[in-house]
Amino acid sequence: MSMYGRDPWGGPLEINAADSATDDDRSRNLQDLDRAALSRPLDETQQSWLLGPSEQKKKKKYVDLGCIIVSRKIFVWTVGTLVVSAVLAGLITLIVKTVPRHHHGKPPPDNYTLALHKALMFFNAQRSGKLPKHNNVSWRGNSCLRDGKSDPGTTMKDLVGGYYDAGDAIKFNFPASFAMTMLSWSVIEYSAKYEAAGELNHVKEIIKWGTDYLLKTFNNSADTIDKIAAQVGVGDTSGGSTTPNDHYCWMRPEDIDYPRPVYECHSCSDLAAEMAAALAAASIVFKDNKAYSQKLAHGARTVFQFARDQRGRYSAGGSDPALFYNSSSYWDEFVWGGAWLYYATGNSSYLQLATHPKLAKHAGAFWGGPDYGVLSWDNKLAGAQVLLSRLRLFLSPGYPYEEILRTFHNQTSIVMCSFLPVFTSFNRTKGGLIQLNHGRPQPLQYVVNAAFLAALYSDYLDAADTPGWYCGPNFYSTDVLREFAKTQMDYILGKNPRKMSYVVGFGNHYPKHVHHRGASIPKNKIRYNCKGGWKWRDSKKPNPNTLVGAMVAGPDKHDGFHDVRTNYNYTEPTLAGNAGLVAALVALSGDKATGIDKNTIFSAVPPMFPTPPPPPAPWKP
């Protein structure tokens, strides 16, 4: 029902009787108002009734936030505080960013990193052949550019390049190959640390200089070969021989004018298998350079096949190498070379060979002896055992490899125990240097290899989330191994009774009379002949050229050291020794958290699905 009332301002106004009229209804009704009537001024009451709430109406005391109703005062204070805080924070940030202050740079590099830069320079100083422009050793130049050509008896006419072994100018391919294998292994495991030190490209150049030369020492494009160039230059001066050669003469390599014979071998399993290891390991280092990597892997397969087919020691029968780098056997190189070829190619036949129990037995894996566990240019067994323990730790291939891999893993644990001071396998000097060669001269080359293996194995265990290992009933943490490696390397870098750094150019006190032809003769445009250089050999003055990074042979068993050029047992550095030095330094350098590269070494290895063991024999009552 509706009623009609009188609109006090004129005109009829219809009002719905229902009090529940909605706002929408009212607004529609308002559309029908007399527009003229609305032109008169309205008082406040009328405005509020007709036009809804006024803008000047008092503010509500509460704010409805949807999920919660809060006091307006608290809401305003809260928002205000947040805005002021944000402005203050912005101002403080602005001031901090713009006000100049002293920057705290990166911490200074550790001693191992500093020594690593220097240790790599030694290889630059040992280069033979036509030197690259950026060789960075001012007193070296091109040398021995007729190697191969100058020997009418050899079929290999281009043997230019490679590295001089030590203080002489002989190229001994056996220890040089081992040096390249060790450098490659260290790059595969620790490329991130080399990168952090800014040395990755440098160390790869060093390896390539070595492997380029090794590829020249046999027919690397063939699948089968019948000979290898094992050595260039000779050093035999026995019987008072005065024939000019690389040991009788004391000359800068750049001035050599005497003949340099090439020693070829037709059955040299140890040398060929070590070359295979070097080329295979390098093929992993250079896997991003596909063509070169494949060339290295092919060469590795070829020389390894030759090693297996033509059995024999390269240094047999009183040959020149036997006087300097006599190989005791080739079985350890078979295990070592087989392991590296497996990693490089993924071909399981190499793994079957490397884990063959008879091969391990011949290599001495099951018997001790005074030199058991000592990695060197002659004996690779300890290195091969660590390398194959890696396979068990991370890929665990199972049957049929598990039995021998477990043996190698257990033997590695025993070797690591033998490095610790609580065991008496090896004596130590009063200054703390482990005597891995039982007091014989030139100890440091063995110490650096052991330090590398210990640091590396410690990193393997860490990467496998294994906190340590057992020596009998006692458990030792991985930190103990790392500590062993550090104490030995610290000794070499100067923390010893003589306060002498045995790495030339590192620290303030290091050998100044290194047994080295190139370093001991000034580069003064005077060419000293074979005997003319003797005066520099016998001089009491320090070397005119600093052989940066060279690790000398080392102190005696009483921590004594004579800085005398003519005594090579103290002052001569070698390629193999320096390769171990570089490997140990990079393993200990930088941040321990960086650790090893778990996967690169396995990049050619196919996925492993262990073969189930054979079924048991049928049961008979």
Side-chain angles (χ1 to χ4, degrees):
M1 171 186 173
S2 62
M3 59 179 279
Y4 288 88
R6 177 117 170 55
D7 179 353
W9 307 290
L13 176 64
E14 184 180 350
I15 302 169
N16 285 329
D19 291 335
S20 60
T22 64
D23 287 344
D24 282 351
D25 293 334
R26 286 198 195 102
S27 107
R28 271 195 297 277
N29 293 338
L30 283 174
Q31 301 303 318
D32 303 327
L33 291 176
D34 177 359
R35 311 282 173 190
L38 283 175
S39 64
R40 275 179 269 156
L42 307 177
D43 65 27
E44 197 175 318
T45 310
Q46 293 164 341
Q47 281 185 18
S48 67
W49 183 63
L50 284 174
L51 304 175
S54 151
E55 283 182 13
Q56 288 154 10
K57 187 178 174 186
K58 283 184 184 173
K59 292 178 181 170
K60 288 183 183 174
K61 287 187 177 176
Y62 298 97
V63 177
D64 187 350
L65 296 176
C67 56
I68 191 167
I69 296 173
V70 294
S71 158
R72 176 175 287 278
K73 195 180 275 184
I74 292 171
F75 177 72
V76 169
W77 268 101
T78 306
V79 170
T81 306
L82 286 171
V83 169
V84 171
S85 302
V87 170
L88 276 172
L91 276 170
I92 290 165
T93 307
L94 195 66
I95 290 164
V96 167
K97 293 269 187 196
T98 52
V99 171
R101 67 190 190 281
H102 295 296
H103 284 282
H104 293 292
K106 281 196 292 189
D110 54 89
N111 275 351
Y112 308 120
T113 305
L114 291 171
L116 176 66
H117 297 309
K118 295 184 184 296
L120 288 166
M121 285 301 295
F122 172 74
F123 292 90
N124 294 31
Q126 294 301 102
R127 281 178 173 164
S128 179
K130 192 172 188 327
L131 300 183
K133 284 195 176 78
H134 55 281
N135 197 50
N136 295 338
V137 181
S138 61
W139 46 272
R140 282 300 324 278
N142 300 335
S143 60
C144 297
L145 299 177
R146 290 184 50 75
D147 279 358
K149 288 194 191 87
S150 64
D151 183 349
T154 180
T155 51
M156 292 164 214
K157 293 302 180 191
D158 178 13
L159 291 173
V160 175
Y163 290 101
Y164 300 125
D165 174 64
D168 49 41
I170 302 177
K171 296 193 289 202
F172 290 108
N173 295 358
F174 188 50
S177 298
F178 174 68
M180 294 306 112
T181 313
M182 289 293 284
L183 289 179
S184 293
W185 192 4
S186 74
V187 171
I188 292 163
E189 302 285 11
Y190 296 112
S191 61
K193 289 191 172 193
Y194 276 113
E195 185 79 72
E199 290 286 5
L200 184 58
N201 289 337
H202 185 195
V203 72
K204 286 170 81 171
E205 276 174 25
I206 288 168
I207 294 166
K208 189 171 187 297
W209 191 268
T211 52
D212 281 352
Y213 170 73
L214 290 178
L215 288 170
K216 290 180 174 185
T217 63
F218 66 100
N219 183 358
N220 68 73
S221 59
D223 292 330
T224 55
I225 55 170
D226 63 357
K227 62 174 172 286
I228 290 176
Q231 180 177 320
V232 180
V234 292
D236 186 3
T237 55
S238 59
S241 167
T242 57
T243 308
N245 72 16
D246 288 290
H247 277 179
Y248 181 74
C249 299
W250 193 269
M251 301 171 77
R252 296 175 72 239
E254 291 80 0
D255 298 334
I256 287 173
D257 56 0
Y258 49 78
R260 283 165 59 79
V262 175
Y263 170 62
E264 288 183 357
C265 61
H266 296 269
S267 60
C268 34
S269 300
D270 31 28
L271 168 62
E274 183 56 64
M275 283 170 60
L279 297 171
S283 78
I284 302 170
V285 170
F286 292 105
K287 70 184 178 66
D288 295 339
N289 179 348
K290 200 172 178 188
Y292 190 60
S293 181
Q294 286 174 345
K295 186 177 185 179
L296 291 167
H298 179 267
R301 286 193 291 267
T302 299
V303 284
F304 196 70
Q305 193 59 50
F306 170 66
R308 299 281 298 149
D309 292 344
Q310 304 289 331
R311 300 288 175 92
R313 288 189 307 120
Y314 95 111
S315 57
S319 59
D320 198 77
L323 300 171
F324 308 103
Y325 287 102
N326 185 38
S327 170
S328 49
S329 88
Y330 48 73
W331 299 105
D332 53 310
E333 278 86 15
F334 281 167
V335 181
W336 175 243
W340 277 115
L341 269 158
Y342 173 64
Y343 286 139
T345 66
N347 183 332
S348 61
S349 66
Y350 292 118
L351 182 59
Q352 284 161 15
L353 178 73
T355 55
H356 198 288
K358 280 188 179 172
L359 207 63
K361 184 182 175 189
H362 285 311
F366 308 119
W367 51 273
D371 297 325
Y372 188 79
V374 181
L375 175 62
S376 73
W377 55 263
D378 180 29
N379 194 342
K380 286 71 186 219
L381 179 64
Q385 289 174 325
V386 171
L387 192 60
L388 289 165
S389 297
R390 188 192 212 287
L391 186 66
R392 184 171 189 252
L393 278 166
F394 299 124
L395 292 191
S396 192
Y399 181 85
Y401 313 110
E402 170 59 20
E403 187 182 345
I404 200 75
L405 287 180
R406 185 174 65 240
T407 300
F408 284 158
H409 195 170
N410 290 340
Q411 295 293 332
T412 296
S413 295
I414 291 167
V415 168
M416 296 300 154
C417 299
S418 76
F419 292 158
L420 304 184
V422 290
F423 297 91
T424 54
S425 317
F426 301 104
N427 292 329
R428 278 169 164 73
T429 66
K430 282 185 181 171
L433 186 71
I434 191 168
Q435 295 290 283
L436 294 164
N437 63 339
H438 305 289
R440 296 190 293 270
Q442 307 172 26
L444 296 187
Q445 56 179 316
Y446 308 102
V447 175
V448 289
N449 289 342
F452 172 64
L453 290 186
L456 179 63
Y457 190 62
S458 154
D459 283 344
Y460 282 176
L461 293 178
D462 285 344
D465 292 325
T466 306
W469 85 111
Y470 280 95
C471 297
N474 300 317
F475 185 81
Y476 291 92
S477 93
T478 56
D479 293 339
V480 175
L481 270 184
R482 205 169 180 81
E483 195 51 37
F484 159 74
K486 282 184 167 181
T487 54
Q488 296 306 305
M489 296 309 291
D490 290 348
Y491 181 104
I492 291 169
L493 296 178
K495 205 171 178 181
N496 55 59
R498 299 185 66 87
K499 304 285 184 283
M500 163 79 83
S501 159
Y502 292 111
V503 177
V504 175
F506 182 83
N508 298 321
H509 183 40
Y510 51 81
K512 303 289 198 297
H513 303 79
V514 182
H515 180 95
H516 192 275
R517 284 156 176 75
S520 68
I521 300 173
K523 184 183 179 183
N524 56 8
K525 297 188 178 172
I526 300 173
R527 188 181 164 282
Y528 298 93
N529 64 18
C530 176
K531 290 186 185 178
W534 287 7
K535 70 171 186 180
W536 298 107
R537 179 192 66 192
D538 303 332
S539 162
K540 300 285 187 284
K541 291 180 181 174
N543 288 350
N545 307 309
T546 305
L547 186 61
V548 174
M551 182 183 75
V552 295
D556 59 32
K557 60 185 174 184
H558 305 295
D559 298 304
F561 182 79
H562 298 294
D563 189 5
V564 179
R565 194 176 294 109
T566 48
N567 193 334
Y568 57 83
N569 278 332
Y570 289 112
T571 58
E572 187 166 30
T574 64
L575 275 186
N578 255 68
L581 170 70
V582 165
L585 288 171
V586 78
L588 294 173
S589 73
D591 184 5
K592 178 181 180 280
T594 306
I596 54 155
D597 176 342
K598 255 167 87 168
N599 301 317
T600 293
I601 202 168
F602 298 133
S603 47
V605 174
M608 293 215 156
F609 304 106
T611 314
W619 184 79
K620 287 179 185 174

